[in-house]
Amino acid sequence: MKYLLVALVVIIAIGIWRNNRRKAGAVPPPKPRLRQPEDMVTCAHCGLHLPSSDAITSPDRTYYCSTEHRHLGPR
Ligand SMILES: [Zn+2]
């Protein structure tokens, strides 16, 4: 009876060890893709640096941080 209990503990221990080994060998989840770098532009009115996607472009190819600064024009 004593040996049966020891054998049961060993079997459970091996089962836990194999389960942990399987988890460790699993493929790690892929890293989230980083955003592509974006060009920074300067507001022609106040000099604020902002990403080109957030900037407001005027017909003469100058950038502004807001429509208000676009109306005020370059300084
Ligand atoms: Zn501005």
Side-chain angles (χ1 to χ4, degrees):
M1 189 66 195
K2 188 177 157 188
Y3 293 110
L4 191 70
L5 197 70
V6 170
L8 195 72
V9 168
V10 168
I11 288 166
I12 290 167
I14 289 169
I16 290 167
W17 175 71
R18 286 180 69 178
N19 196 26
N20 284 347
R21 226 174 56 152
R22 199 177 309 145
K23 279 180 191 168
V27 179
K31 288 180 180 175
R33 303 198 88 192
L34 296 172
R35 285 177 53 189
Q36 288 296 309
E38 211 175 316
D39 284 340
M40 295 297 280
V41 293
T42 308
C43 174
H45 184 77
C46 67
L48 180 84
H49 291 270
L50 67 159
S52 59
S53 63
D54 294 343
I56 293 155
T57 315
S58 69
D60 60 338
R61 304 276 295 157
T62 49
Y63 298 97
Y64 297 97
C65 65
S66 62
T67 50
E68 191 185 335
H69 281 183
R70 187 182 162 196
H71 290 299
L72 291 170
R75 202 165 46 167

